[in-house]
Amino acid sequence: MANILNIAQTGLFAAQAGLATTGNNISNQGVAGYSRQQVIQTTAGEQNTGFGFIGDGTDVSTVQRVYSSFLATQANSAQSTLSQYNSYYNGISQINNMLGDSSSGLTPAIQNFFTSIQDLASNPSDTASRQSVLSTAQSLASTFQSMASQLSSDQDDVNSQIQGSVTNINAYAQQIAQLNESVAAAQSTGQPPNDLLDQRDELVSELSQEANVTVVNQDGNYNVFIGNGQPLVVGDAAYQLQTVPSSTYSGQLDVGYKNANGSLITIPESSLTGGNLGGLFQYRSQTLNSVQNSLGLIATGIAATFNAQNTLGVDLNGNQGTDFFSEAAPVVTPNTNNTGTAAVSASITDASALTGSDYSLSYDGTNYTLTRLSDNTAVYTGATFPTSSIDGVQLSQASGTMAAGDKILIQPTANGASDFNVLITNPSAIAAATPIVTAVSGTNSGTATISTGSVDSTFTSATVATPVTLTYDAADGTLTGFPSTMPVTVTANGTSTTYAAGDPVPYTDGSTIEFGGAQIQISGTPNDGDTFTVSSNTNGTGDNRNILAMSALQDADTLLGGTASYNDAYSQIVNEVGNKTQELNVSSTAQTQLLTSIQTAQQSESGVNLDEEATNLIKYQQAYQASAKVMQVANEIFSSLLSIDQ
Amino acid sequence: MRISTSMIFEMGTSNLNDLMSNISKTQEQISSGLKIQTPSDDPVAAAAALGVTQAISMNTQYGVNRQNANDSLGQEESNLSSAVSLLTSVQSTVVAAGNGALDDSQRQDYVTQLKSDLSQLLGIANAKDSQGNYIFAGYQTQSQPFTQTSTGATYSGDQGQRMLQVSPSRQMAISDSGATVFEDNPTGNGYFVTAAGTGNTGTGIISQGSVSDMSQLNGQTYTLTFSVDPSTGDTTYLVNPPPTTPATPQPFTSGDTITVGGAQFNITGAPADGDTFTVGPSTNQSVFTTLTNLINTLSTSGEGAVNQTVMTNGLNAASANITNALNNIAAVQASVGSRMNELDDLDSQGSDLNIQYTQTLSDLQDIDPVQAYSSLVQQQYTLQAAQQSFVSISNLSLFNYLNT
């Protein structure tokens, strides 16, 4: 009989535990990462009474949290990927918005510049038109510079976000290590410390947002590994990550850690995938650097082509044109781990051959290899330092030598946009005219005409220092009178023949004749003794031939190996960024759906449902009431037993 | 399947958020009229729109260039037109001054008229455009091209023609140099020119002639020297250098056709012994030289048979040269006219292109208003439905029914 009381008492305790746990579930329903707890009851044993086994009541063996580590691992991995897409998407959206502004973007700036150039062609001597060209050129430079500075501040942004991520990772690692210790201490009592376990899992989940981590459960300790095996938490010890300046790209941060003997090891970007960190690295290397280079390529292309054309002409004062825009020099960064002494510089020799990629020059002790980083092809391999022009860039080694294992990063167009400046300040210095003019003598009796003439980059004023008078000799069919020191090249029907200086040159109707950098064409039938003059264009303020050539640059295919104009190259950037942003948007949405469905499964397993808890409340309350009733009955039985003798 | 309470709320709010952000995106599209807010909305269309925008801008610029070209050609044309009417009146002056009945002082009136015509023509040749640039100076538009001299005028400009890009594939000349317009006028009949010797004392008047055999015209100048036999009175002439036929003195009859080296002409009147006449290839003569020569011819006395002959020969030469100059300027004028016609054609092509490009751009980036509005309304309905259903679902709880 005393047994009945005990049995009832165990029932009471169990119901109490159940009510307390249910109450706990209800209170903690809104806590992030909380797994609902269940009371696990077992029978408390039985005794053989001779006429059967009678149980001893119930026992609360444990309070268990309903938790699936499989779903948790899935959720963390999905979260990592989602954070990666999101942080990449956030970064690229800024560039997307910058490019999408059609009123202040690059396209209207280029268009305005060329509009003013066309207006100048109509009236080359007008100072106001010239000033307007300088003003629109200045606006173009400002547009390039402001876009470059925005990209530069995006770089700084990435650096500070990496810093923030690393700080967070370190904090989480610290906390997980502490929890490892607490959990180990608590578990020594034999019961699982549910809240501590929930907290630890929640920390791992938040850590997964920052980077992809692997968790190994060893004897109840969570050992956390990052990257390609770097330990972050082992038992109760936490290892700290650090930001280190990149050894390859100056101004960029990478992530590293201090190893056992105190030296700083950089974790390669390729192994830090997933999470905010992974997204930031991808954003930087796949989009930010490449947009900066592509923008710089357009700026470099404009500067190079305009300078080439302006220097071919003469300005309002009769002086040969100078550079219109400043051309940025390529950025050369020796790797910080280099041991050699080489001082390497680079220059751009052919803007149309530029690819917009970065290059890496390495030396392995025997061979130099120059690799184009966009598609990882080796564009040069050889035992000597590469000095020829490759992809429009020429390297030179001023002093010193590279040691085996040295690497040098070459970024030909990284500063193209930020260093794009207008060099001309005086409106008269715009070289609108061509240096030479031609004339047919008024006494000619034949019908031959001469073209207006043009020059190439080998032309100097020495060619027409004295007017060149070409005379036609009908007996030989030749032209004489070329400057005595200059060979003459005649091109007819695609074939060129060069005649030595001073030799008479046979006349072919319509052929192109080049001497000393000046090119003319004589066509028609000259008579014996007819003369043609090529002289210096002095006082030719109404000549707009050079400006016409500049205006033709607007839709000439001058970039990317002759396949794209300035606007085409810019459209490509817009298209790529737009595409990538859209792709990330779609991926992010899809990944969000995936994460939501995993989280729904998680919640379905571990989440608190208030209706269910309400049912449990009723259940345990009834159980309690029933057990209390049993006690009451036991009491009455005892009382009736006691009252037998009365 | 279990659903946790927090999941109900989370799913509900995230759906509401998505619906809300869709509505605000549609609203943004409607208010800006563009379906592309950022390149990621439609990357291909965004990149294509940049290309079309540049095409529109260049097309508009070509229209501006055509306007400038039209202005420039128009100014040139009006000057050429004045020059043509001026030279036409000079031609009638030449004819009138050839009237044998005039005396020297009456011819002086014509000289005065011609001197003023010369100044006026110089003024036309030195005309400036609306921006102060000399029209007929080639490239040297800030220096006066023509300066009067005692024999005519010196041209100090060059032979450059200013060009403008009036369409993507067409550069058009918007000026003609002073050399082309005023300087390069052939003398004589365009192939050869005849002249009487300056010391002639006879009354032989040589005609302008015509070409009898083009292949024999090789740039050679021939001199005809006349001899009058004092006894017989027969006039013969010798051609030097002789053509292929051997040199023998040819008998001369006034008015007979003489053929020398592919040139055919006649001499009327009575050349004196020792008179010479030349036949040579045409060269280029400035119209100012022609006018100055004409003035000089009319300024010398024309009284007496010999002076009359000199004057007639001079007037004949002047008449031919003035005609050539007039034809030259008229030809340039015609070329200017046809260029201006071409500009009109290009203008209509340009405006067609503009319409096409604008349409393309609109297709690429403008919203379809009807679709956008109906989209907005649909999204609003969906949002309202979601909101109402969320409220009713979130009110369901067992605790509402536990009233003990």
Side-chain angles (χ1 to χ4, degrees):
Chain A
M1 239 154 322
N3 235 4
I4 301 179
L5 264 176
N6 264 353
I7 292 172
Q9 189 188 30
T10 60
L12 223 55
F13 284 153
Q16 268 182 341
L19 281 170
T21 308
T22 307
N24 192 38
N25 281 345
I26 292 176
S27 313
N28 284 315
Q29 176 246 328
V31 171
Y34 178 77
S35 317
R36 69 191 166 104
Q37 295 167 353
Q38 278 177 337
V39 167
I40 308 292
Q41 289 178 267
T42 54
T43 56
E46 49 199 358
Q47 291 185 23
N48 194 348
T49 55
F51 46 84
F53 280 90
I54 300 202
D56 273 342
T58 185
D59 212 2
V60 174
S61 63
T62 185
V63 176
Q64 190 187 61
R65 63 176 186 150
V66 181
Y67 170 79
S68 161
S69 67
F70 168 72
L71 282 175
T73 315
Q74 273 201 329
N76 287 342
S77 153
Q79 179 67 64
S80 252
T81 313
L82 179 64
S83 298
Q84 178 186 335
Y85 290 150
N86 279 347
S87 84
Y88 193 169
Y89 177 73
N90 286 339
I92 203 176
S93 294
Q94 293 175 26
I95 302 185
N96 188 38
N97 290 339
M98 172 179 87
L99 294 177
D101 193 342
S102 60
S103 60
S104 65
L106 194 58
T107 302
I110 293 182
Q111 282 170 9
N112 287 343
F113 177 52
F114 278 101
T115 302
S116 68
I117 291 215
Q118 296 265 18
D119 286 344
L120 183 58
S122 299
N123 196 357
S125 54
D126 179 28
T127 314
S129 302
R130 284 170 171 260
Q131 186 57 55
S132 152
V133 168
L134 289 187
S135 307
T136 51
Q138 197 57 58
S139 306
L140 181 62
S142 304
T143 307
F144 269 123
Q145 286 164 8
S146 89
M147 287 174 99
S149 98
Q150 190 163 348
L151 290 176
S152 161
S153 69
D154 285 347
Q155 286 271 14
D156 291 339
D157 213 31
V158 166
N159 281 346
S160 69
Q161 283 186 48
I162 290 177
Q163 182 68 64
S165 239
V166 164
T167 310
N168 284 347
I169 292 176
N170 287 342
Y172 293 141
Q174 196 72 41
Q175 289 168 21
I176 291 175
Q178 284 169 353
L179 278 174
N180 273 342
E181 196 180 348
S182 315
V183 164
Q187 269 185 327
S188 62
T189 61
Q191 293 292 350
N194 293 323
D195 289 340
L196 290 178
L197 292 173
D198 276 345
Q199 279 179 39
R200 195 171 59 177
D201 289 318
E202 183 63 14
L203 280 172
V204 171
S205 166
E206 286 183 15
L207 180 57
S208 300
Q209 287 183 26
E210 297 295 339
N212 219 354
V213 292
T214 326
V215 175
V216 173
N217 193 341
Q218 189 187 17
D219 303 329
N221 276 335
Y222 272 9
N223 292 341
V224 180
F225 301 92
I226 197 173
N228 50 7
Q230 266 73 43
L232 210 51
V233 176
V234 176
D236 58 358
Y239 298 90
Q240 302 282 291
L241 294 178
Q242 271 186 312
T243 53
V244 303
S246 164
S247 57
T248 320
Y249 290 87
S250 80
Q252 291 185 3
L253 286 181
D254 274 346
V255 176
Y257 68 98
K258 272 216 176 76
N259 72 356
N261 41 5
S263 49
L264 209 49
I265 312 280
T266 309
I267 302 177
E269 271 183 32
S270 50
S271 54
L272 281 172
T273 55
N276 287 337
L277 260 189
L280 286 169
F281 285 138
Q282 269 193 335
Y283 164 56
R284 186 171 66 186
S285 62
Q286 289 177 15
T287 300
L288 190 51
N289 285 345
S290 118
V291 170
Q292 197 172 345
N293 282 349
S294 302
L295 203 62
L297 189 149
I298 300 177
T300 306
I302 293 181
T305 46
F306 262 83
N307 288 348
Q309 193 63 51
N310 204 48
T311 48
L312 285 183
V314 286
D315 67 17
L316 211 52
N317 298 324
N319 300 322
Q320 189 177 2
T322 54
D323 278 351
F324 207 113
F325 297 108
S326 61
E327 291 178 41
V331 177
V332 176
T333 319
N335 196 303
T336 51
N337 298 326
N338 281 357
T339 50
T341 55
V344 175
S345 63
S347 62
I348 295 180
T349 51
D350 181 5
S352 67
L354 291 173
T355 58
S357 167
D358 292 337
Y359 297 82
S360 173
L361 178 67
S362 60
Y363 181 57
D364 63 2
T366 31
N367 279 333
Y368 291 89
T369 312
L370 184 64
T371 315
R372 182 167 56 216
L373 295 176
S374 60
D375 53 0
N376 260 324
T377 36
V379 289
Y380 172 87
T381 323
T384 52
F385 186 88
T387 47
S388 57
S389 176
I390 299 171
D391 282 353
V393 181
Q394 189 168 31
L395 301 173
S396 71
Q397 192 172 265
S399 62
T401 46
M402 287 175 80
D406 276 3
K407 284 197 167 80
I408 299 185
L409 176 74
I410 298 127
Q411 295 171 291
T413 54
N415 282 352
S418 57
D419 288 353
F420 182 84
N421 281 313
V422 181
L423 289 178
I424 295 186
T425 48
N426 187 350
S428 312
I430 300 176
T434 301
I436 59 171
V437 281
T438 57
V440 173
S441 167
T443 54
N444 282 4
S445 50
T447 59
T449 56
I450 186 170
S451 67
T452 51
S454 60
V455 299
D456 63 28
S457 52
T458 60
F459 175 85
T460 62
S461 56
T463 307
V464 286
T466 48
V468 175
T469 309
L470 305 175
T471 315
Y472 179 67
D473 182 340
D476 317 322
T478 59
L479 291 164
T480 52
F482 294 98
S484 55
T485 52
M486 296 177 187
V488 179
T489 310
V490 177
T491 311
N493 297 331
T495 36
S496 302
T497 330
T498 309
Y499 300 88
D503 284 357
V505 173
Y507 168 69
T508 315
D509 184 358
S511 56
T512 309
I513 303 170
E514 185 267 323
F515 61 96
Q519 277 148 1
I520 53 167
Q521 275 166 309
I522 303 184
S523 346
T525 322
N527 276 350
D528 188 43
D530 278 356
T531 59
F532 306 90
T533 325
V534 179
S535 56
S536 165
N537 186 8
T538 45
N539 207 26
T541 52
D543 179 11
N544 65 355
R545 286 174 286 167
N546 210 33
I547 274 283
L548 278 181
M550 280 193 226
S551 71
L553 291 173
Q554 185 175 10
D555 62 348
D557 287 341
T558 50
L559 301 179
L560 298 175
T563 58
S565 70
Y566 311 130
N567 203 39
D568 291 340
Y570 184 64
S571 307
Q572 281 184 25
I573 301 178
V574 171
N575 192 18
E576 278 171 30
V577 171
N579 261 321
K580 191 71 188 169
T581 310
Q582 195 184 52
E583 175 195 321
L584 284 170
N585 201 10
V586 169
S587 304
S588 171
T589 311
Q591 189 70 20
T592 309
Q593 304 283 19
L594 177 63
L595 182 62
T596 307
S597 75
I598 296 175
Q599 282 175 338
T600 308
Q602 256 190 328
Q603 282 290 301
S604 150
E605 173 104 6
S606 316
V608 174
N609 183 313
L610 287 177
D611 287 346
E612 189 188 36
E613 300 306 317
T615 319
N616 286 343
L617 270 182
I618 300 173
K619 179 173 86 174
Y620 287 121
Q621 187 184 23
Q622 287 179 345
Y624 189 90
Q625 285 167 345
S627 292
K629 195 70 182 172
V630 170
M631 279 187 140
Q632 189 187 17
V633 165
N635 198 25
E636 281 174 10
I637 292 177
F638 194 61
S639 304
S640 44
L641 205 58
L642 287 180
S643 66
I644 283 182
D645 237 3
Q646 310 286 322
Chain B
M1 184 184 105
R2 281 188 77 243
I3 296 190
S4 74
T5 308
S6 58
M7 211 63 209
I8 296 175
F9 283 91
E10 260 178 51
M11 280 164 62
T13 48
S14 85
N15 283 339
L16 287 175
N17 277 341
D18 285 344
L19 288 171
M20 202 62 220
S21 82
N22 285 346
I23 285 188
S24 77
K25 190 174 176 70
T26 307
Q27 196 263 332
E28 205 184 320
Q29 283 179 340
I30 290 178
S31 64
S32 69
L34 300 172
K35 55 186 185 218
I36 304 178
Q37 306 294 326
T38 57
S40 61
D41 294 338
D42 189 348
V44 174
L50 285 180
V52 177
T53 312
Q54 169 158 300
I56 292 179
S57 151
M58 288 178 78
N59 198 35
T60 313
Q61 184 57 44
Y62 291 135
V64 172
N65 289 353
R66 285 194 290 271
Q67 190 57 48
N68 288 334
N70 216 16
D71 288 346
S72 178
L73 289 172
Q75 286 177 38
E76 183 186 345
E77 209 273 334
S78 87
N79 280 307
L80 292 176
S81 174
S82 308
V84 165
S85 26
L86 187 77
L87 287 178
T88 309
S89 92
V90 167
Q91 268 183 329
S92 28
T93 306
V94 169
V95 170
N99 187 344
L102 296 172
D103 65 16
D104 277 350
S105 63
Q106 282 165 324
R107 275 191 283 272
Q108 271 313 111
D109 294 338
Y110 286 123
V111 167
T112 314
Q113 172 69 45
L114 286 172
K115 279 186 179 166
S116 128
D117 286 344
L118 177 60
S119 305
Q120 207 179 329
L121 191 63
L122 264 173
I124 292 174
N126 284 333
K128 287 192 196 181
D129 66 13
S130 51
Q131 273 137 358
N133 296 321
Y134 289 99
I135 298 182
F136 294 110
Y139 292 136
Q140 301 185 21
T141 53
Q142 293 189 329
S143 342
Q144 182 178 309
F146 288 97
T147 329
Q148 191 169 16
T149 62
S150 56
T151 53
T154 332
Y155 178 59
S156 55
D158 57 36
Q159 295 182 11
Q161 260 185 316
R162 298 200 309 281
M163 315 280 272
L164 273 191
Q165 193 82 35
V166 295
S167 91
S169 51
R170 174 82 166 102
Q171 268 186 8
M172 179 182 284
I174 58 167
S175 72
D176 296 281
S177 73
T180 315
V181 178
F182 297 105
E183 297 281 289
D184 293 345
N185 305 313
T187 50
N189 59 17
Y191 298 102
F192 63 87
V193 58
T194 61
T198 43
N200 282 6
T201 51
T203 57
I205 296 177
I206 186 165
S207 72
Q208 294 307 305
S210 58
V211 176
S212 64
D213 186 353
M214 183 75 77
S215 59
Q216 289 186 39
L217 287 177
N218 57 1
Q220 179 69 48
T221 306
Y222 301 95
T223 313
L224 278 68
T225 317
F226 280 78
S227 330
V228 180
D229 189 312
S231 50
T232 61
D234 286 343
T235 316
T236 57
Y237 63 91
L238 207 62
V239 179
N240 195 31
T244 47
T245 52
T248 48
Q250 306 289 318
F252 169 72
T253 315
S254 163
D256 265 2
T257 309
I258 305 173
T259 310
V260 175
Q264 193 176 314
F265 54 92
N266 62 30
I267 301 180
T268 50
D273 186 56
D275 274 359
T276 58
F277 296 86
T278 53
V279 177
S282 292
T283 55
N284 286 334
Q285 186 178 79
S286 158
V287 68
F288 301 106
T289 309
T290 309
L291 282 176
T292 310
N293 287 347
L294 176 62
I295 290 170
N296 290 340
T297 305
L298 278 178
S299 299
T300 46
S301 171
E303 305 198 337
V306 176
N307 286 343
Q308 185 78 34
T309 310
V310 168
M311 175 151 303
T312 311
N313 276 325
L315 286 178
N316 285 346
S319 174
N321 291 344
I322 296 279
T323 307
N324 291 338
L326 188 69
N327 289 341
N328 188 31
I329 297 182
V332 176
Q333 194 181 9
S335 150
V336 169
S338 80
R339 275 178 261 164
M340 289 171 83
N341 279 344
E342 189 185 343
L343 285 177
D344 286 339
D345 284 342
L346 289 174
D347 268 341
S348 68
Q349 279 179 33
S351 67
D352 284 346
L353 270 182
N354 196 32
I355 294 175
Q356 267 184 48
Y357 288 145
T358 317
Q359 182 64 45
T360 308
L361 189 63
S362 165
D363 288 342
L364 283 174
Q365 66 180 26
D366 288 348
I367 55 165
D368 175 4
V370 172
Q371 189 191 14
Y373 298 150
S374 62
S375 214
L376 184 67
V377 169
Q378 185 188 6
Q379 284 167 342
Q380 279 176 326
Y381 279 148
T382 313
L383 179 61
Q384 281 170 5
Q387 284 170 335
Q388 283 169 348
S389 61
F390 177 72
V391 168
S392 59
I393 289 175
S394 60
N395 271 339
L396 297 172
S397 175
L398 199 50
F399 285 104
N400 293 342
Y401 304 103
L402 292 176
N403 46 13
T404 48

